[in-house]
Amino acid sequence: MQKKTRIILALDVTSRADALRVVDAVKDYVDAIKINWPLILAAGPDIIQEMSKVKDVICDFKISDIPNTNRLIVEQAMSKGASAVICHGFAGEDSVKACVDAAKGQVFVVTEMSHPGGKQFTAPVADMLAAIAKSAGARGIVAPATRPERIAALRKIIGNMEIITPGVGAQGGKASDAIRAGADYIIVGRAIYEAADPRDAAQKLAAEVGGSA
Ligand code: 3DU
């Protein structure tokens, strides 16, 4: 994933046809495609390989099992063409480390989640989750664009690891605020794929965060 536009597309559409249509429209304005369960369940896991021919794919499976199961999940995702995966940190450092080993370091660990419920459970332990990501050797963390001050605080814990941040647009966060707080990439789903003109929406977001196509 090369940092050009600083946008990661959250491709949470539920058909292969929609996925192809959206990606074709916005591919010049995104650095990577994040695939989550909705698209996998709708279009099948081969969609990972298909999308990986267009852009780097991050599999957002929020992996959170015992180390052995985590390893098996990550091996499957990587063998289908994923460039990186997202796991949860709350299963413990050994579970995160299993992902890191299987993905050769290409792992992002969820810390504080961006939705209101993220304040309930993940926020109080987010600093610890970021520390686990760092000591396990992950590539980066997922931190909330809805609370830019938390991006800045988590940055102090992880140093120069990468921060990818969801919560822009539909969840109320502002792209430029998240980047200013220290995020490397913004993750954007509905504000792009539900826009009347997804290409225009992606282009405007790239301009807002100072990215170039
Ligand atoms: O709200 P959007 O439509 O822009 O989608 C955000 C994406 O990021 C979506 O795939 C969701 O599963 C993921 N995500 C969060 O929204 C919040 C988190 O804390 C972690 C991941």
Side-chain angles (χ1 to χ4, degrees), residues 10 12 34 36 60 62 113-114 142 166 168 171 187-190:
D12 296 328
K34 186 178 80 66
N36 201 334
D60 182 6
K62 302 223 170 53
M113 295 191 76
S114 58
V142 186
V168 167
Q171 296 182 50
I187 296 170
V188 189
R190 287 165 287 179

Side-chain angles (χ1 to χ4, degrees), residues 157-193:
I157 296 168
I158 60 162
N160 60 6
M161 287 166 66
E162 285 181 332
I163 300 181
I164 60 177
T165 181
V168 167
Q171 296 182 50
K174 192 163 162 38
S176 48
D177 290 349
I179 295 291
R180 211 171 299 123
D184 294 283
Y185 298 89
I186 53 166
I187 296 170
V188 189
R190 287 165 287 179
I192 292 178
Y193 68 76

